[in-house]
Structures are given as structure tokens and as C-alpha cells.
Amino acid sequence: MPVSNRRAAVLGHPIGHSRSPELHRAAYRYLGFDCSYDAIDVEEGAAADFAAAVRQEPGWIGLSVTMPLKSAMAAAVDRLDPLAEALGVINTVTFEPGPDGVVLTGWNTDVAGLVKALRHAGAGDAPRAVVLGAGGTACAAVAALSRLGCSSVDVYARSFRGNAEGLVDVQEVGRRLGTAVELNAWDTAASACAEADVVIATLPPRAADGIAEEFAALAAGRSGAVLLDAAYDPWPSRIASAWQAAGGTIVPGLEMLVYQAVEQVRLFTKEAFHDEQAVINVMCDAAGLPQR
């Protein structure tokens, strides 16, 4: 198969806002890796059919997976790496030849992306930690905080009733990782954020706006505290602006996106991957972020 036929893509719904094509294409150019990378709109109910279809198409080497497909695609692949299996959600799919056809493997590089972004921002070991939201990215956030040494994490969800299944998943992920997950009502989220060392917001854009004003009235002297908001448009979000005004450090979701994408590029390009720091920097350039 000619190398020019190699294909990769990011999947999600909606997907037009994704910055992943810019990041991956920049990395491939630097590495001299001939591979197309597109954004494909796939609804959650179509995940299994899409996975079945790409098995039959030559050239595929990898998929990036975003919302709302992280659980659905985990169920559609042939196997999961140990971390992805523990989380039950994936953000990456690789393709390998097998004795009976193409083998799809699911991975989760969000965890590495979160850990590296938090460390770069100055997060310390075993911080008092809060996660806003209880979906697939929240599961990765719990795993990342576990790697930072947290023995317990407080999770705040906007709706216990409407997202009951997701909440149970976050708690189960914590159990598998040896990190206690406490589920809390949304109306206490602002006060919890005002006391935390690290907050990871995993909500859709603007979903945390409602607590920003309350947080601003409670918080002061947040020096050394870190907020990572996985949503990156608009930036800064209202909660990020309030956090920064209180003296804390804010981390845009784009930074997490870069770090997790580096791990995807490593998986997709294999032996062609080299000079991680340079790959990070060309991705930062593509995203409009300062180089590391």
C-alpha cells in the first residue's frame, strides 16, 4: 500500500469546531509522515456502523474520538489497552493487521494530556481536587488526579437524575483506580472550587458560567491553585476569568488537547515518531499557544 494512502481522522458530533486536524497535520509535516487527517461527523448511534465500515477500507491508521463517542467507540473496538479498559471510555483507536482481519484497539490519551498540562501549570502532588462534570472526560480526570497522588476526588454534576449512569461510571472508575469518588450536588460546586488546589472542568462550553459569579464572591488568594477547563471556546471561560482574578493559574483545554494529541501521534506514526519536544512545539504553534 503506498504510504500516501494512509488516513486518520477525528470523530465526533458536532465536529466542525475541532482543532485536532490542525494539530495532527502540523505534527505529520514535522515528522515527514505522509498521512491525511480529516474531521468526520459521526453521531453516537452510528459509532458501531462506522467502526465496521472502516475495517473494510484500506489505509486507516488511527482515529481520534471526541464527544459524544467516547463510550460508544469503546464498545465498538476489538480490544482496549488496560487504562482504557479501567475507564470504559476511549479517545483513540489504532488499526493493526490480525490473523482474521484488521484489529481495532482503543486507548485513552486524555489522561496523559491532563497530567502533563496540570504539571506544566505547577500542580503539586496529592492536591485537594474537584472535577466539574461526570461524563467521559470526567473519568479521565479522575484517573489523572489519581496519577497525581489523590486518594479522593470530589465530583460535582449539574444533574444527578439526568446523568445517573455517567455518575455511576465515574465512581466505578475511581474504585478500579483506588481513588474514592464522592458525588456532590451542583449547588455546592462554587464553594468547593474556592477551597480546592486543583479543579478540572469537563463540562461543555459555557456550562460552568452559572457558578462563576458565586465563585468570584467566595474566592481569594488562589495563588498556587490550578484550574484546567477542558472547553476551549470561548477562552477564557467565565469560570477561568474568575479563577485568574482570584490569583489562580488557568489552563486552557487547548493545552490538554496538545498533550493528548502528541500521544495519539506517537501511536499513529510508530517508528516515524521522534523528538517529542519539537512535536509539542509545532502543535503549540498550530494551536496558537506559547511553545513549551
Side-chain angles (χ1 to χ4, degrees):
M1 179 186 69
V3 295
S4 59
N5 288 341
R6 288 187 295 219
R7 302 174 64 187
V10 58
L11 314 179
H13 178 74
I15 199 60
H17 67 286
S18 176
R19 303 292 297 274
S20 292
E22 301 166 59
L23 302 184
H24 278 258
R25 290 168 187 168
Y28 300 159
R29 283 194 298 271
Y30 172 77
L31 295 171
F33 187 75
D34 192 358
C35 180
S36 65
Y37 189 99
D38 301 304
I40 302 176
D41 195 295
V42 178
E43 295 187 20
E44 188 172 8
D49 288 343
F50 184 89
V54 294
R55 291 175 189 275
Q56 310 304 319
E57 299 175 1
W60 284 102
I61 63 165
L63 299 170
S64 306
V65 180
T66 188
M67 298 302 292
L69 303 176
K70 293 186 176 185
S71 295
M73 285 299 291
V77 300
D78 301 306
R79 62 191 183 195
L80 300 171
D81 94 303
L83 177 59
E85 187 170 11
L87 298 181
V89 291
I90 65 173
N91 75 324
T92 308
V93 178
T94 56
F95 295 67
E96 299 288 348
D100 301 314
V102 175
V103 176
L104 273 58
T105 302
W107 309 76
N108 193 303
T109 69
D110 281 338
V111 177
L114 285 163
V115 170
K116 289 181 179 180
L118 289 169
R119 286 296 195 198
H120 185 261
D125 293 329
R128 293 174 296 172
V130 164
V131 173
L132 302 179
T137 305
C139 291
V142 169
L145 291 166
S146 178
R147 291 190 174 186
L148 290 181
C150 292
S151 59
S152 64
V153 176
D154 286 314
V155 172
Y156 292 81
R158 292 173 296 166
S159 172
F160 287 96
R161 188 185 336 174
N163 195 27
E165 184 177 351
L167 289 166
V168 171
D169 287 346
V170 176
Q171 219 163 23
E172 174 63 16
V173 164
R175 187 192 66 77
R176 292 172 190 163
L177 298 172
T179 300
V181 173
E182 182 71 28
L183 307 179
N184 301 275
W186 184 248
D187 59 7
T188 59
S191 58
C193 290
E195 297 176 358
D197 300 317
V198 169
V199 174
I200 303 177
T202 69
L203 299 164
R206 300 182 176 85
D209 285 0
I211 67 169
E213 185 175 344
E214 182 184 354
F215 168 81
L218 293 168
R222 296 274 70 204
S223 178
V226 178
L227 167 75
L228 187 152
D229 192 342
Y232 50 82
D233 185 18
W235 184 259
S237 59
R238 285 181 61 186
I239 187 70
S241 293
W243 189 276
Q244 189 173 48
T249 299
I250 58 173
V251 184
L254 268 178
E255 190 163 324
M256 168 200 168
L257 188 69
V258 165
Y259 282 123
Q260 65 81 29
V262 170
E263 299 307 314
Q264 291 181 336
V265 170
R266 191 195 309 273
L267 288 168
F268 294 172
T269 62
K270 299 178 182 172
E271 64 276 1
F273 188 89
H274 63 273
D275 199 347
E276 176 180 323
Q277 192 58 53
V279 173
I280 291 172
N281 283 335
V282 298
M283 284 183 160
C284 285
D285 286 343
L289 294 171
Q291 292 192 354
R292 303 298 95 178

